[in-house]
Amino acid sequence: MGFARACSVALVGVDGVVVEVQADLEPGVAAFTLVGLPDKTLVESRDRVRAAVVNSGAAWPQKKLTVGLSPASVPKSGAGFDLAVAAAVLGAAEVVDPAAIADLVLIGELGLDGRVRPVRGILPAVLAAAEAGYRQVVVPQQCAAEAALVPDVSVLGVRSLRRLIAVLTDGVVPEEEPPEPPGRPDPILAGLLVPGAGLGTGLAPGRTGRGDAADFPDLADVAGQHTARRALEVAAAGGHHLFLSGPPGAGKTMLAERLPWILPPLTRQDSVEVTAVHSVAGILPPGEPLVARPPYCAPHHSATMQSLVGGGSGVPRPGAVSLAHRGVLFLDEAAEFHSRALDALRQPLESGHVVIARAAGVVRLPARFLMVLAANPCPCGRHTLLGAGCECPPAVIRRYQARLSGPLLDRVDLRVEVAPVTRSDLLGQGGRGEATAVVAGRVREARERAAARLADTPWRLNSEVPGQELRTRWQAGPGALAQAERDLERGLLTARGLDRVLRVAWTVADLRGRDRPDALDVAVALELRTGITRGAIPVTGGAA
């Protein structure tokens, strides 16, 4: 009779649970039983593990074998348990020392030839193991860099089960076949990508795809649109949601695509959070274990509610709101989205996370994103153009604009009417706008001022501060809110809208380098919120 145990990790969303893999050998008819609430993929590991062990030069035990996954109440899915199951079986058969694998966390899929194939979700799995007190993990060699992002954890990357056996038995480490020749993709890496997810989903758009300085979209390429550019800067500085409305070809998409590049780079903690989500979703580019830039996700307007907020059969998967965590979620042609899908965004816009309940379990996914909506004023897009010949009936226009519900727009801090580009702006006669680097510098300074003010608080951006705190702890200048209070009494603002005007006013004050908002800052916030011209927004770039 032999017994051994090893450990692996079961992922539920981006949260992990350490699973103890126990192997028991008893005299009897040779059989392999796997228990502990495995899914179909995990049940098939019996055949993968048996073939991998034999093809790695080890003898398969001809006894009654039972492998249990504990705790049994936690659903377990995927092929990432193969390596732990193989190690536990070899420990029970005394091929390796059971004590050497008792506190070892092993994650990886096994091929029939014994090669260790990479799996998704390595980073959140190793994070869960570290939080549970484990300090040694074994992962596929292709994922070792991703696992090494977790501090105070010793990572061993292996390419084959034969190599793992040699390491555990202090034997001679065999020479392995070299990877694929240069320029030829490694077929083993196919397990890291989800079919249909699209490599690069959630990554900021570039020009050439090279990743160098010339790859960054430049804000100076946008002709005119001084008010929209100013709103983009305020949105980046304070994390405020933005709605761009205007005719086709005015530059709404160009502005949204340049927003990620004026945002500051992600902090180390944010990078780990974003990388964990992308790893689970299967869109983490091979060779780039850490996402350093704010992500950018722009789903098509035919996207379903599940693809936006997350879901799917079985254990829910991250949606667009989670792929855009700490970055930008751009909904182009927002009025063409299904109303149920748009209204599903209201809860994550407030809380910064999304909770999805399914029969297989409840998953909590991060969703702290900056949302940008872009829409035409009517189905033909010419409603706001003088002499353009819009033939949409008034009822059709009202119905089209009503697809963006009031409760959703009430959560959007900045609403800007994007005017058509004039000939002088398009030909550069009015001068080029500021470059991305210049605007990004002001955004970084404004965020530093906000961070200094919000130190020792649970908030990081002005958009996260509750209105009660802004009305009591951080008050605006004397008389600064007079106009906003009048708009509240006239019904132009809701109570939530007044709080959001206060948040935007603080961001404008940070951009201007002021200690607290004055009447001009509040006027700018009101103009960006209501769209009513008050003469407060400067017509040129830069902080006023």
Side-chain angles (χ1 to χ4, degrees):
M1 177 178 177
F3 176 83
R5 65 183 181 89
C7 295
S8 192
V9 178
L11 287 177
V12 182
V14 294
D15 298 320
V17 178
V18 175
V19 174
E20 189 175 80
V21 181
Q22 303 171 341
D24 177 70
L25 283 174
E26 295 181 357
V29 178
F32 189 171
T33 304
L34 184 64
V35 297
L37 208 60
D39 71 342
K40 177 67 174 177
T41 304
L42 188 49
V43 169
E44 294 174 349
S45 69
R46 295 177 300 182
D47 299 320
R48 291 194 301 271
V49 169
R50 181 188 291 110
V53 169
V54 173
N55 290 327
S56 297
W60 183 260
Q62 298 300 316
K63 295 182 180 180
K64 180 182 179 181
L65 171 62
T66 303
V67 174
L69 308 176
S70 179
S73 59
V74 176
K76 305 164 190 72
S77 61
F81 294 88
D82 289 2
L83 201 57
V85 171
V89 171
L90 293 173
E94 297 183 351
V95 175
V96 300
D97 184 5
I101 62 174
D103 295 320
L104 203 60
V105 176
L106 302 103
I107 307 168
E109 177 185 351
L110 285 175
L112 300 183
D113 55 357
R115 289 187 298 173
V116 180
R117 304 177 66 91
V119 294
R120 301 186 301 271
I122 287 291
L123 178 57
V126 177
L127 283 171
E131 292 176 357
Y134 293 87
R135 293 292 175 262
Q136 291 182 315
V137 297
V138 178
V139 299
Q141 189 177 49
Q142 296 86 346
C143 302
E146 183 181 345
L149 297 174
V150 183
D152 302 325
V153 172
S154 175
V155 178
L156 173 62
V158 294
R159 292 186 63 91
S160 66
L161 181 61
R162 185 189 300 270
R163 180 181 180 86
L164 177 62
I165 295 174
V167 171
L168 294 176
T169 58
D170 294 329
V172 178
V173 178
E175 294 185 3
E176 298 176 339
E177 296 182 3
E180 294 295 324
R184 186 175 178 182
D186 189 349
I188 288 184
L189 297 177
L192 293 177
L193 304 178
V194 175
L199 180 61
T201 301
L203 300 181
R207 290 173 171 172
T208 64
R210 297 192 304 268
D212 53 17
D215 190 41
F216 303 157
D218 197 343
L219 198 58
D221 296 338
V222 180
Q225 306 303 353
H226 304 294
T227 301
R229 291 168 60 97
R230 177 64 167 171
L232 203 72
E233 182 178 342
V234 173
H240 305 287
H241 305 304
L242 174 63
F243 176 39
L244 300 173
S245 176
K252 302 186 295 294
T253 302
M254 289 184 66
L255 288 165
E257 289 179 346
R258 281 148 180 79
L259 179 56
W261 300 104
I262 65 176
L263 294 173
L266 297 175
T267 64
R268 174 74 178 189
Q269 179 180 355
D270 291 345
S271 293
V272 171
E273 292 178 2
V274 173
T275 303
V277 175
H278 286 206
S279 178
V280 170
I283 61 173
L284 192 65
E288 298 181 17
L290 188 66
V291 178
R293 294 292 313 177
Y296 174 89
C297 191
H300 190 260
H301 59 77
S302 62
T304 63
M305 182 174 65
Q306 289 76 15
S307 66
L308 283 181
V309 300
S313 60
V315 178
R317 296 181 55 80
V321 296
S322 296
L323 299 181
H325 179 60
R326 300 299 179 188
V328 177
L329 175 66
F330 177 46
L331 303 182
D332 199 6
E333 304 295 343
E336 299 293 344
F337 280 80
H338 196 282
S339 58
R340 290 182 63 246
L342 290 176
D343 287 337
L345 300 176
R346 287 152 55 180
Q347 184 258 343
L349 284 175
E350 291 285 343
S351 63
H353 63 268
V354 60
V355 178
I356 307 170
R358 294 291 186 272
V362 178
V363 175
R364 185 182 187 272
L365 298 170
R368 180 73 65 182
F369 56 90
L370 197 165
M371 182 179 68
V372 179
L373 302 174
N376 297 327
C378 67
C380 74
R382 300 191 298 268
H383 175 59
T384 57
L385 300 178
L386 296 177
C390 174
E391 298 179 354
C392 300
V396 173
I397 296 175
R398 287 194 300 269
R399 187 163 55 250
Y400 184 82
Q401 295 177 349
R403 294 180 181 178
L404 300 177
S405 66
L408 175 64
L409 290 180
D410 200 34
R411 290 167 168 81
V412 178
D413 300 347
L414 312 174
R415 308 174 192 176
V416 177
E417 186 75 26
V418 182
V421 180
T422 64
R423 183 180 63 178
S424 61
D425 288 332
L426 191 60
L427 298 178
Q429 297 174 358
R432 284 172 57 89
E434 291 179 308
T436 295
V438 176
V439 179
R442 286 200 302 269
V443 169
R444 182 177 61 254
E445 293 174 359
R447 287 206 173 194
E448 290 173 354
R449 293 189 186 97
R453 182 174 62 254
L454 299 176
D456 301 325
T457 70
W459 312 295
R460 300 165 52 181
L461 299 174
N462 291 325
S463 60
E464 302 172 3
V465 182
Q468 177 65 22
E469 296 289 335
L470 295 177
R471 291 190 296 271
T472 57
R473 186 173 177 180
W474 294 293
Q475 296 183 357
L481 295 177
Q483 183 62 54
E485 292 170 354
R486 286 194 294 269
D487 286 358
L488 179 64
E489 293 175 353
R490 294 164 56 191
L492 296 177
L493 285 177
T494 63
R496 179 191 286 120
L498 180 61
D499 289 344
R500 292 184 176 274
V501 166
L502 273 173
R503 296 171 182 171
V504 175
W506 270 103
T507 300
V508 176
D510 289 334
L511 286 169
R512 297 177 63 201
R514 299 182 62 86
D515 294 333
R516 60 176 178 170
D518 57 13
L520 178 59
D521 299 325
V522 176
V524 172
L526 282 171
E527 185 169 339
L528 291 174
R529 170 77 181 183
T530 63
I532 301 176
T533 303
R534 304 167 192 265
I537 299 181
V539 296
T540 57

